[in-house]
């Protein structure tokens, strides 16, 4: 950290992100999702917890919006729970939340799918994509008069890999490469949702995809090949269809249905491209030690000499610059303006200097990407609140605001005050 964060362009959008399943609670007022069923299975969530109460946000959303207003963000990225929208009165909650945000001067940025698929639906089925578009049309019809930016899906790559290939997230399927249709159907759902949103008059549409540079563990051909495959599966397989209208070599053949016709839908033009960035990956040939205990054609390796967060992820801010300049080089004029839709880290404690250092470093790295000519229009911290961190339960705390899960008391951390100061300086 040295001196103030450099000035970002006027109009740059600052925000924070959350997701429905991770904060809302109030499970009794909505349908069940694949995550409820998964969390009920012993041993699936590390601390045995569920998201039944989480941050009790459905009841405390006014207090949470006040925290957003106090922070001084322009925008709030939350997700709409499909199972809640399917339930009587479910849309009323998002209606009230949207009103509360607008009244506080914070722009609502809803994500339409953040992993909490209604129980009974299955991304292996193509029909799920059509069902999604129908649900999106209902949400757009209700909130469209007040929402200027929409995000279709959150991280279909993670949802495919962790949820369907490796089985460590809901729905807990361990399909390995047979999970590829899950990726295709989510991408198709995205394209159909873009069309549904456009039909409803929306003009600010994007997706939030997770990306990170992949570094080969060595220059050996076996390591380079393994890293290239990993990069294809985590990065290019999700960005190429959206931005270039095609799958990377060798992938399209493995996808179900009339892939060429679907790619036309998938590549509907976007108004912005959301990037969730946490860390780079160093990848080598299989070494028999993979953390998921599956026979994978690659293995993740440590990045030596780097501090790690409480989730064990290496802290490498400059990899964000590399990622963004690499994106610009690969996609050129096909790349719409980028928004960083998630960036953050897990650390314990109220005086979270390590989080401040992480965010400070990443904002400087982001600024470098802008200086290098990448068109980035916004930055959202993950996350506003400590929350239900999926298979980690409540162990990993990503919030700028501490949540005591016994009393539901919210306490802003040092990083909240630091980010508030950054935002003041940027205005
Ligand atoms: C997800 C969030 C999650 C965060 C930290 C992202 O992959 O979108 O839901 O909490 O990472 O793990």
């Amino acid at each position: 950290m040295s001196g103030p964060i450099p000035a970002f362009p006027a109009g740059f959008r600052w925000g924070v992100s959350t997701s429905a399943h991770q904060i809302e609670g109030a499970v009794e007022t909505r349908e069940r999702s694949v995550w409820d069923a998964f969390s009920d299975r012993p041993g699936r969530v590390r601390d045995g917890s569920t998201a039944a109460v989480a941050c009790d946000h459905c009841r405390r959303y006014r207090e949470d919006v006040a925290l957003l207003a106090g922070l001084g963000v322009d925008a709030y990225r939350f997700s709409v729970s499909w199972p809640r929208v399917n339930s009587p009165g479910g849309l009323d909650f998002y209606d009230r939340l949207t009103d509360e945000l607008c009244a506080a001067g914070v722009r609502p940025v809803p994500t339409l799918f953040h992993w909490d698929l209604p129980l009974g639906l299955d991304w292996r089925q193509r029909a799920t994509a059509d069902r999604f578009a129908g649900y999106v049309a209902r949400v757009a019809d209700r909130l469209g008069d007040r929402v200027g930016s929409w995000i279709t899906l959150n991280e279909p790559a993670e949802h495919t890999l962790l949820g369907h290939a490796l089985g460590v997230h809901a729905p807990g399927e361990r399909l390995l490469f047979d999970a590829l249709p899950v990726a295709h159907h989510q991408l198709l759902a995205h394209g159909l949702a873009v069309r549904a949103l456009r039909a409803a008059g929306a003009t600010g549409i994007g997706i939030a995809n997770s990306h990170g540079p992949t570094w080969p563990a060595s220059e050996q051909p076996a390591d380079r090949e393994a890293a290239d495959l990993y990069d294809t599966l985590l990065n290019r397989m999700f960005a190429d269809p959206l931005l270039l209208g095609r799958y990377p070599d060798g992938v399209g053949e493995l996808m179900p249905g009339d892939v060429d016709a679907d790619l036309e839908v998938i590549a509907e033009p976007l108004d912005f491209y959301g990037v969730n960035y946490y860390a780079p990956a160093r990848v080598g040939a299989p070494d028999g030690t993979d953390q998921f205990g599956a026979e994978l054609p690659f293995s993740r390796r440590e990045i030596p000499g780097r501090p790690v967060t409480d989730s064990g992820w290496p802290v490498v801010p400059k990899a964000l610059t590399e990622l963004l300049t690499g994106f610009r080089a690969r996609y050129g004029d096909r790349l719409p303006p980028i928004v960083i839709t998630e960036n953050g880290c897990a650390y314990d404690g109220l005086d979270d200097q390590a989080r401040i250092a992480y965010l400070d470093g990443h904002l400087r790295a982001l600024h470098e990407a802008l200086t290098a000519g990448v068109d980035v229009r916004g930055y959202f911290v993950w996350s506003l609140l400590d929350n239900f961190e999926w298979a980690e339960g409540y162990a990993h705390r990503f919030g700028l605001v501490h949540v005591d899960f016994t009393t539901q008391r919210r306490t802003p951390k040092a990083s909240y005050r630091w980010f508030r100061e950054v935002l003041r300086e940027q205005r």
Side-chain angles (χ1 to χ4, degrees):
M1 280 187 261
S2 50
I5 308 263
F8 281 72
F12 191 85
R13 187 113 357 129
W14 298 96
V16 290
S17 297
T18 64
S19 94
H21 190 78
Q22 295 178 271
I23 64 167
E24 283 185 359
V27 278
E28 65 290 348
T29 56
R30 63 156 170 79
E31 278 187 359
R32 277 166 68 77
S33 79
V34 293
W35 263 99
D36 299 313
F38 182 80
S39 308
D40 284 349
R41 283 156 65 182
R44 292 316 184 100
V45 175
R46 190 194 285 254
D47 58 7
S49 63
T50 74
V53 178
C55 307
D56 199 27
H57 170 75
C58 272
R59 289 184 193 83
R60 295 168 195 264
Y61 71 93
R62 286 197 182 84
E63 183 182 348
D64 295 337
V65 172
L67 284 164
L68 291 165
L71 185 57
V73 286
D74 310 302
Y76 173 50
R77 173 179 172 235
F78 59 97
S79 83
V80 175
S81 152
W82 187 355
R84 190 172 298 288
V85 169
N86 282 352
S87 312
L91 261 172
D92 296 347
F93 170 67
Y94 299 105
D95 208 35
R96 288 195 295 274
L97 174 63
T98 301
D99 278 346
E100 190 78 12
L101 288 166
C102 293
V106 179
R107 288 165 192 262
V109 182
T111 301
L112 292 153
F113 178 70
H114 198 127
W115 304 352
D116 46 355
L117 191 71
L119 195 59
L121 293 185
D122 183 341
W123 284 117
R124 279 176 296 179
Q125 309 296 326
R126 185 183 176 88
T128 303
D130 297 309
R131 296 279 288 269
F132 181 66
Y135 143 77
V136 167
R138 286 172 61 205
V139 180
D141 183 49
R142 185 70 175 269
L143 306 183
D145 56 337
R146 287 152 289 158
V147 168
S149 303
W150 299 88
I151 292 172
T152 55
L153 307 180
N154 180 72
E155 299 189 355
E158 257 64 26
H159 192 54
T160 304
L161 181 77
L162 301 177
H164 298 78
L166 299 173
V168 295
H169 274 193
E173 301 287 352
R174 206 174 169 78
L175 303 169
L176 299 177
F177 280 88
D178 290 338
L180 286 175
V182 168
H184 184 69
H185 293 147
Q186 285 180 88
L187 288 167
L188 179 62
H190 156 84
L192 293 171
V194 174
R195 290 186 173 176
L197 288 166
R198 294 262 183 251
T203 52
I205 306 175
I207 187 170
N209 262 340
S210 55
H211 292 293
T214 308
W215 296 337
S218 80
E219 289 306 312
Q220 296 298 319
D223 284 338
R224 294 192 68 87
E225 260 171 50
D228 192 59
L229 176 61
Y230 183 94
D231 193 35
T232 298
L233 294 174
L234 271 296
N235 290 310
R236 289 181 231 144
M237 192 167 87
F238 293 88
D240 286 11
L242 297 164
L243 300 173
L244 303 176
R246 56 177 153 79
Y247 278 112
D249 288 348
V251 174
E253 300 83 291
L254 305 173
M255 294 304 192
D258 183 346
V259 174
D260 288 339
D262 289 349
L263 280 166
E264 275 188 35
V265 181
I266 292 169
E268 281 288 335
L270 296 174
D271 303 299
F272 65 92
Y273 188 89
V275 169
N276 293 357
Y277 172 76
Y278 289 90
R282 184 163 168 263
V283 176
D287 64 357
T289 63
D290 195 90
Q291 53 180 321
F292 298 111
E295 297 245 340
L296 299 176
F298 42 72
S299 59
R300 299 254 324 221
R301 308 285 177 80
E302 258 180 45
I303 298 184
R306 288 287 171 175
V308 294
T309 68
D310 285 358
S311 7
W313 301 348
V315 181
V316 194
K318 73 170 171 42
L320 176 58
T321 322
E322 178 186 324
L323 172 72
L324 296 174
T325 52
F327 244 73
R328 172 81 199 148
R330 182 171 177 83
Y331 299 109
D333 293 340
R334 308 289 293 266
L335 185 64
I338 288 180
V339 174
I340 304 300
T341 35
E342 285 182 28
N343 178 233
C345 47
Y347 288 112
D348 224 348
L350 286 174
D351 186 22
D352 52 346
Q353 297 300 323
R355 187 182 335 275
I356 293 175
Y358 179 100
L359 296 174
D360 180 284
H362 284 79
L363 282 178
R364 290 173 200 278
L366 179 60
H367 194 272
E368 268 184 46
L370 269 91
T371 307
V374 186
D375 183 3
V376 186
R377 305 277 177 94
Y379 174 87
F380 289 67
V381 174
W382 183 272
S383 180
L384 174 67
L385 304 169
D386 292 340
N387 58 46
F388 177 74
E389 176 53 21
W390 307 113
E392 301 299 331
Y394 295 95
H396 292 168
R397 292 177 175 270
F398 278 86
L400 299 176
V401 176
H402 177 271
V403 177
D404 177 327
F405 292 105
T406 312
T407 61
Q408 288 298 338
R409 182 156 177 224
R410 274 88 163 123
T411 310
K413 304 180 188 177
S415 58
Y416 176 97
R417 293 186 288 278
W418 171 85
F419 194 45
R420 183 175 61 192
E421 213 37 52
V422 170
L423 300 186
R424 271 192 197 137
E425 282 166 7
Q426 291 289 332
R427 297 218 164 91

